[in-house]
Each structure stands twice: as C-alpha cells, then as structure tokens.
Amino acid sequence: MVDGRLLLDGGAPLLPHMSRVGVDAGAIEAVFLTHFHGDHTLGLPPFVLHRVFVDQRPLTFIGPEGIEERLEALWDVSWGPDWKKVMRPRFNVKYEVAKPVGKVAGYKYETVKLDHGTSGSNGYRIWAGGKILAYSGDTEPTAPLDKLVEGADIAIVEAPGPGDVFSHMSWEDATALKKRHPKTRFMFNHVYNGTVDGAVADFQVIEV
C-alpha cells in the first residue's frame, strides 16, 4: 500500500486487511501487479466485488503483457456468466501494460524486469512523498534486483526462507543484498510460516 492510493499485488484476502488497518478500499486508484501467479492475484476478486457494487470510482491495473486478458479471465472464472452480463458494466476499470517509465494516479514509476521462474516478474520503483520505493514481488537474486533497489529509500523485497529457495530470494541472499545497498531500508516479506526449519512465525520481525 502506498499513501492509501496504490496497491502492490493482490495475493492475501485484501478487504479484511484493509479494513483492519483503516484503509478505504474505494480510495485505491491503481493496482500494480508484478506477475500472475495465484499467490499474487487470487486475493483480488473480493476487492473487485467491492469496486463493482459498493464503490465505483475509477481503478487502473498496471502489470505485465497480457494483463487485461489474464485478469478478465480470472473475473470470469470467479463469477461465470454474471461477470460480463451484470458486473463488468459496473466496473470502472482500465488495464495498462507497465511502461519502462510511466505515471499513474499522479505517481511516477519505473519498471524493472526481474528473474522469477519461467515467466519472470515486474519490479517497480515508485516516487512518492519525495522518496523512492522499490518493490520486487518475487525474484531471484540476480543483477536486475540490484538495479531495482539501487538508490531506493525503501525496498520491499521477498525472502521466503533459509537455504536454496527455487526462483526466489533466500535469507542469505537477502543479507548479501542489504550489505550491497547499506543506505536502503529493507522490508522482507513473502516468508514461509512454519513449513521450513527455522522459518518465522506470523508477525515475527526478522533481522538479516
């Protein structure tokens, strides 16, 4: 969440979390998607339901190539024939393929292509309040990640767990990344909960 107006990915159920922290779901103006894996998109349908029936302010989705086709297919799976017949006409939405450098909802952003499995992932640098926020979504610890976080004030980077983590960042990778960018404040997310020896528990803060 950036300034209550931008949303970064949509994996976990969004509406309960927004309500809990006092965020107005109708005030979101843009949603940045890094890639289309289910753990980054399947929290979106209830949010979309809210924007269809409760608050119809304009909304923009920004993401990789095919964003309109992929998301419209998700909405269609979620609600079947009622999506196009009843709900789509009420949904005040625009889809945009992320530009190398662009602007949405008054915020400048830059897209950095990251390595993640076969399809890759978009990382984003967003200028807000005189600061640069870098957001990786999912990524391997390759050179584009350093480009993403270079000079950023805050970097939200995934680091699931210790050891060899396929197509993601390990805690050891996170430690090395932080050392290479000592002026950047890092927040590490996408951590495993109790599925790997030594993994963090819910709401536990880790230092690397």
Side-chain angles (χ1 to χ4, degrees):
M1 191 76 58
V2 180
D3 198 25
R5 295 167 61 197
L6 304 183
L7 185 65
L8 304 173
D9 277 335
L14 296 174
L15 287 180
H17 294 306
M18 289 182 184
S19 177
R20 185 172 64 177
V21 298
V23 172
D24 178 5
I28 300 296
E29 297 180 32
V31 179
F32 285 88
L33 294 182
T34 57
H35 60 304
F36 301 120
H37 287 171
D39 55 330
H40 289 255
T41 58
L42 294 182
L44 290 171
F47 170 70
V48 168
L49 199 65
H50 180 89
R51 298 302 291 260
V52 168
F53 290 114
V54 178
D55 195 315
Q56 297 172 357
R57 279 178 274 182
L59 180 67
T60 301
F61 282 94
I62 301 100
E65 289 280 351
I67 185 168
E68 180 169 1
E69 295 79 6
R70 296 292 289 268
L71 290 187
E72 284 287 332
L74 176 58
W75 316 146
D76 192 66
V77 166
S78 299
W79 295 292
D82 288 336
W83 170 248
K84 290 182 180 176
K85 182 179 179 181
V86 177
M87 300 167 70
R88 185 61 177 87
R90 299 169 178 248
F91 191 31
N92 192 359
V93 69
K94 180 169 63 173
Y95 300 100
E96 289 186 6
V97 175
K99 302 176 177 67
V101 177
K103 194 170 186 179
V104 64
Y107 294 91
K108 176 187 173 184
Y109 73 88
E110 178 184 356
T111 306
V112 178
K113 297 292 185 179
L114 302 175
D115 297 309
H116 175 55
T118 302
S119 59
S121 180
N122 281 359
Y124 298 104
R125 292 166 62 87
I126 299 170
W127 279 255
K131 304 288 186 181
I132 300 175
L133 167 69
Y135 178 72
S136 74
D138 292 347
T139 182
E140 298 169 25
T142 52
L145 179 60
D146 284 278
K147 177 182 177 182
L148 177 75
V149 304
E150 178 67 37
D153 296 282
I154 300 173
I156 303 174
V157 180
E158 60 94 24
D164 183 16
V165 186
F166 170 70
S167 80
H168 289 269
M169 289 267 294
S170 71
W171 289 355
E172 294 81 2
D173 296 325
T175 300
L177 181 69
K178 183 178 178 182
K179 287 182 178 178
R180 292 197 300 272
H181 303 274
K183 295 182 179 180
T184 297
R185 179 184 178 189
F186 283 89
M187 299 176 65
F188 294 105
N189 64 354
H190 205 298
V191 294
Y192 290 137
N193 176 22
T195 58
V196 175
D197 287 343
V200 299
D202 283 341
F203 302 115
Q204 181 182 344
V205 176
I206 63 169
E207 291 285 342
V208 299

